[in-house]
Structure formats: C-alpha cells, structure tokens
Amino acid sequence: MNIAKVIVDVPASSINQTFDYLVPEKFQDILQTGMRVIVPFGPRKIMGFVVGKSSESSFDKLKEIVDVLDLIPALTPELLDLGKWLANETLSLYITALQAMLPQVMKAQYNKEIVRMTDSELSSEFENLFAGRDIIAYEEVEGSAISYYQLQKAVQDGDISIDYLVKSKITKKHVTMIKPARSPHLLEEAIYDLSKNAKKQLLLLQYFLEKPEAIAKQQLLKALKTTDSTVKALIDKGLLESFQMEVYRNPYDDDAFARTVALELTEEQTTAILPIKENISNEKHDVFLLHGVTGSGKTEVYLQSIQDVLDKGKEAIVLVPEISLTPQMVKRFKGRFGSNVAVMHSALSVGEKYDEWRRIQRKEVQVVVGARSAIFAPFENIGIIIIDEEHETSYKQEDQPRYHARDVAIHRGETHQCPVILGSATPTLESYARAQKGVYKLATLSKRTNEKAMPEVEIIDMRDELHAGNRTMFSRKLKTRVEQCIQRGEQIVLLLNRRGYSTFVMCRDCGHVKECPHCDIALTFHKNSSQLKCHYCSYEEPMPVECPECTSDLIRYFGTGTQKVEEALAKLIPEARVIRMDVDTTRRKGAHEKLLTQFANKEADILLGTQMIAKGLDFENVTLVGVLTADSMLHLPDFRSSEKTFQLLTQVSGRAGRHELSGEVIVQTYTPDHYSIELASNYNFNDFYLKEMAMRKTFQYPPYVFLALLTISHENKIKAVQTAQKIVQMLLKNIQSDSKVLGPTPSPIPRIKDRYRYQCMIKYKNEPDLRSYINKIMDIFKDEMRKEDLQITVDMQPYHLM
Ligand code: ADP
Ligand code: ZN
Ligand code: ZN
C-alpha cells in the first residue's frame, strides 16, 4: 500500500497528529513529503501537508488524497522538522506552524492555472490540453490523458509552469523571448538562401549570428526596427524560436543601487569579525552578540561575514525590524550583493512576496533581507543568520505560533552548523546576560567609525517649565533650539514617545471617557474623519457633540497624539515645515518611504513621529533630536518599560549628528532622575544593565525567571473567571515548589470584541515538563473550546503582557 501521512488544516485537532491517506495511482510517482495536498476530512475537503510516507497503516478503510497542490515540495525536510519543533516550543498546532513558514498566497488559495512556457511542439497530450491557448485552468488536467508524473516532468523541464492566482490576477509575469533555433553555421547557410528582398529577415539573422543569446521580443523589435511578422517568418522556417520567460516582479531596481566594496575594517571590527569568520570556515555554530554603539560599523561586519559565506557557496539570512526596512537599509545589502539579494517585508504586495520567496526556493539568490518571517526562508545550505537590532520586540510574533525569531534563528543555526549574530546598540537583558555567562560570545564595538562622539544629551525637567508658567508641550530650550536650527537650514527629528493614536475623548465636566461598547478600551479620536475608532475591533462612531453621561458640551479629545503636537507646533513656530509620521500617515503602501524621501530632500524642517522614526534613519542634515515625553512609556504595566525607554532614547539620540555636522539631543521628562533616562543620556549601557538586572532579580522577572502567560477568554464573564481559576488550581498541583502561578487577574484589556479576558502567569526557573502540563490542561478543556467557544491561548515568551 502507498500511504501518505498528512497534517490537516483543522485548527482543533490535537497537536502533531497525522492522518493516513491512500495515495491514488496517478499521484504515486510524484508525491513527496513537504507537498501540500487536498484530502477529504469529514464532509469537507481540506488542505494538508504530507509529512511522511509509509507502506502500511494501522487503520483500514482509508480515504484517498483528492489533489496534490505542489509539484515541487513547498517545505523542505528541514522546515518540516523545524515546524514540529516550533509547534512544541510555542504550544501551537503543527499545521499552524507549517503555514507560518509559507508566503500568504500559499496559505489558503487553491486556484491554480497552467501556463505554457514554450512555443516548441509539446507532446500531443499537452497540445490537446492547451488546444491553442497559453493559459488554462488547472482543473482541465483532471479530465485529460495527462498523468501527474508527466505534469511534474513538464514543470521540471520548463515546458509549463503552475501558477497560483492572486485575487484572480496571474501571479507571475511572463515575457516572450526569441532565440536562434539553429547553430551559427546553419544560420549562416540560411542567410545565403534568403531571397534578395528579405532584407529584414537578413538583419535579424545577422543579429543572432553576432549575439546568439535569447532576447525579449519587444526589445528585439525595437532595437532592429523590425516587425512581429518578420520574426514569425523566421520562426516558421525553424531558424528562430520563441519561448515564455517568467519575469519576477522585482520591487527594487537592482541597477539603481551603486555597488560598494568591502571597507578596510577598524581594529575593533577586525577583532569582532575574527571569531565569526572562524565559525564560518570551520562550519561551527556559535551565537555572537555584537554590541556596538550606533554608527560603530556593525553593518559592515555583517556584510563582510556574508561575503565569506557566499564565497563558500552558502546562503545568508538577515533579519531587520520591519520598520527599518527602509530603502536606506535595502541599499546597504543590494549595494554590496546586487541582485543576489531577496527582500521580504510587509510593504510588498502578496504577489511580490511570493516572487521573492520563489527566488529563494529556486536558489536564485543567496541572501535574504527581511522582517521576522524571513527566518523561514527555504534555503538549504545556510552559512550565517544575522539579527540586526536584536532587542526589537517585533521579532516576537503575537499570534499563533507565538515564536521569537531569535529562537528560530538559533535552532536553524544549530541545524546548519553556522554562526548566528545578534547585533544591537542596546541588547536585551536576556541576551546580554547570556553573553556575560559565556552562552553567547560577546563582541563589542565601542567607537563610532568616524571617531565622532555621540551627541550631547540634555535633560529638561518639565516640572520646572510648569512652575515657570510654560504650559505648552515644548520647553523653552527646545523651542529656541528648534528655531535656531531652522534658521541655520538644518533639520530636526522630534519624537513623541507614544503611539500616534492615543487621543481619547473625555468630558471635562464629569470625566466620562468614551469607550468601545465591545472592548474595555478608550476609543481614539481621528481628526480627519471626525470619528471615534476602536483599534481592537474597528468599531466606529461619530464624535459626540455632548457627553452621553451628563450632557455637558465640554466633551473634548485629550492626550498628546502626534496630531496634537503638530497643531501645537504650528502655533508655536509657524514657520516650521513639518512632516508627521505615525500609524495614520503611513497606512497607505509606500507612504512611509515617500515621507522619508521628502524629508531627505529637505522639503521639511521637522520630522515628527512616534517610535517608527527612531530606527535606522540616517539623515546628514539632522542636528537636533527632541524627545517630547521621555517618560510616557515608563508608567506602562510592563516590567520591560525601563528597558524599552532606555533603548528608545539611545536609538533616537543616535539619529543626530551622524555626519559632518555635530548633533544635540534634548530630552523632556517629568522624571529626570529615573535611571533609564539618566543613563541613556550618558550612553551608559553597562550601568543600566547592572541596575536593571538588580531590579529584575528583586522582583523576579526575566532573565532571572522564565514566564508563561495563559489567557482565557469567553463571552460569559463568569465562565471565563471560573475556567481561569480551575486552570490555576491545576497548574499549582503540577509545578515545582520554587515556581509561582500569579492570577487569575483580568487582562490589562479586560474585554475585547465582547469577550471577557482573564490571565494567569507562571514564573519559573526550571520546569522541564511545563509544556506537557499545559498541553494536558488544554486537552481537558478541548470540548469546551470546540463547542462552547472557550478560548485558551498560551504564550511561552510573553512580551506584551496584555
Ligand atoms: P551601525 O550599523 O553600527 O550603526 P554602520 O554600519 O551603519 O553602523 O556604520 C556607520 C558608518 O560607518 C557607515 O557610513 C559606514 O559606511 C561607515 N563604516 C563602517 N565601517 C567602516 C570602516 N571600517 N571604515 C570606514 N567607514 C566605515
Ligand atoms: Zn460628562
Ligand atoms: Zn472595540
């Protein structure tokens, strides 16, 4: 018997369970593990991954595989294993883990078509199938004489291609190419045989005698000022042939990047790169923490390490935070490695992402630079994995599977026996502690390559401003400095340390705050549409004219959103030209880049924005950085709030004076004595690390303990509480004596989309069986989860404690 073991796309089936299916005759020659298939499951037909094959099954009455979705496996054997590991680590379903590794378009869509890739005569079965057409629906194979094996072979030979439909558009683009069908001396003979007035044909043949390579038909017609019919005449004579070539939608014009060469490394860089290079040449796996101040040349270390990897014929994965995948960042990599680089990030269209993914799958590139999910790049011979700005929380996925890209990187690094580099100016406490213990190897770059000092940071106590009667959000000093800066023709970056949409609506008479009727969270005010919106469930309503509680008309919007700062700025310094960058102004595709280009072209004096302007930007003309509210993050209910504040202040300070002009940083705060603000202003990472570690030890937080967060939600509040209580009891019975279970408590946002949310947190040092306890608990509630819509989510590495 020919049996396939399939992981099916049923979100409720228990983890890692495979189902056996019979492989029908027609698929037997082609089916490989890692391919996606369609199988019957109950009354439905669903998608699944083949994860193994077998000649026997302990079940009788097996059902048959209905269809095979891939002719080339979508997942490599390594990725199948990685998926199993990922599912275990994050307590998610195997199917969810596998799907997380594939580009969007391959997750749900089953619509496919077959594209003819050549004009040469195909076998009669295929000619009958195409019947004169170039593209046909995939389903047409079903009724034809063609076997799947033939289909697979035709794909491998490049005669046809199977494409996924993206929103009913063809996923791939094709161009018609022309090339000689005969050897040069036969072409020469043909030239003698041409009739005298076939001048255009002569021109074409002479062209191909000189340049026998394939050329796009459009380009050929234009270059030789000839016509389609001339080309066709020569094709009919069998002298030329045409074929379809796939062109990738390349979101970047590779030729536009000026090529760079390796710089001579500084002493510090040389010391840092040496053990990495040794790792590469000895095919050894170590994790390196590259701790380097902004501008110390970390990227150059990455580039030269990657060069070594490429020289060995291996591949490189580089992760950068989504937000810093700016053209500036892409340029560094494309500049060094040209079209050998694929770029993967969320601003690409679904089709573009799919194309980039396939360039990787087909090994047409050796380097991928991408955001979090690029860690699953289907390379098979990885020589280095780099995570830039390793402290960024965007490397943690906040959805199932709740993985951290750093862990996946290290796992793949072990598998491929290659180095993993974590780079940052402000490493996480977790990573730095590991480096201190020698688990990671620490390399330090303490100087900027241009030998320039980091810009001076001045802390302004905003309480003094209030006492002096200044009620604006700009200190007198910041205002003066901004004005001076504009006069000198230099530019300014202003950071609002808070999300742009934090404007809420409150009644000045009774203090009533407008909340979402479905979620326990304040609605936010959007000025452009004059609407109140919920950012959790997208509920909206118009801005009320009077308070719904006390009917006062003194209902106003509050909070210092970027919009408000922009307005205040316009009043205070009317001559300033401001570009505002926040979630609202960057929602549209390409908007982010456009605003940055405008700023780089000096179309504005001030770049005003949230976190997203703190990273990776490098503008020559910026000499002043202002932080409006340094402490607004300090008061969030999150044990990492000091760390995040320190990181953000350090990052944003690095934006000033990176080039010839020297820079200045002004930090406004109501808590000037807080250690994270004080130490960030001195760029004193070491003291911050020591101080913060002491805090973590006292309050027992990572890296001294591990955390796991369980969130229980249900429409019925009592049901949610009771389930949470039961779970806490069960956990308490199982854990070690030095572990703790906290809760249940309402989640920081106690209700979202009409579901009540309770959480409990486990703090532990060593619980080797924790995952299996939690799995057992989940199993106990399995029926309630399925039938009563109870939800239990587990996060084994919580970052947002919400
Ligand atoms: P980081 O990634 O640590 O912030 P970068 O790699 O962006 O630092 O380097 C900062 C600047 O220094 C860049 O303009 C880069 O081209 C330059 N640079 C890096 N290494 C060298 C070197 N060895 N010699 C001269 N300039 C260098
Ligand atoms: Zn009121
Ligand atoms: Zn809501």
Side-chain angles (χ1 to χ4, degrees), residues 243-358:
F243 62 98
Q244 298 291 307
M245 193 176 78
E246 186 186 335
V247 286
Y248 296 109
R249 276 156 297 214
N250 187 343
Y252 300 97
D253 175 7
D254 290 340
D255 297 333
F257 295 100
R259 293 303 284 267
T260 62
V261 290
L263 301 170
E264 195 181 320
L265 296 181
T266 63
E267 234 177 274
E268 281 192 327
Q269 284 172 321
T270 310
T271 313
I273 206 171
L274 192 71
I276 300 171
K277 280 171 165 269
E278 276 174 12
N279 245 238
I280 295 168
S281 67
N282 302 335
E283 315 210 335
K284 194 165 168 280
H285 164 73
D286 278 311
V287 181
F288 296 90
L289 179 62
L290 184 58
H291 177 209
V293 297
T294 33
S296 61
K298 294 187 289 293
T299 314
E300 188 62 30
V301 172
Y302 305 154
L303 292 170
Q304 297 197 19
S305 308
I306 294 171
Q307 188 60 58
D308 270 25
V309 166
L310 302 188
D311 291 344
K312 293 198 78 179
K314 294 190 172 192
E315 296 131 358
I317 298 178
V318 184
L319 298 190
V320 295
E322 184 74 67
I323 227 80
S324 66
L325 262 173
T326 54
Q328 288 184 346
M329 194 70 187
V330 172
K331 194 168 108 189
R332 304 283 300 267
F333 288 89
K334 291 250 183 191
R336 194 64 58 88
F337 306 117
S339 57
N340 203 2
V341 181
V343 178
M344 301 261 261
H345 64 108
S346 63
L348 302 186
S349 71
V350 172
E352 284 168 344
K353 272 187 223 158
Y354 177 48
D355 283 357
E356 292 291 275
W357 183 83
R358 285 180 327 148

Side-chain angles (χ1 to χ4, degrees), residues 516 518-519 534 536-537 539:
C516 172
H518 310 286
C519 312
C534 172
Y536 284 87
C537 74
Y539 168 85

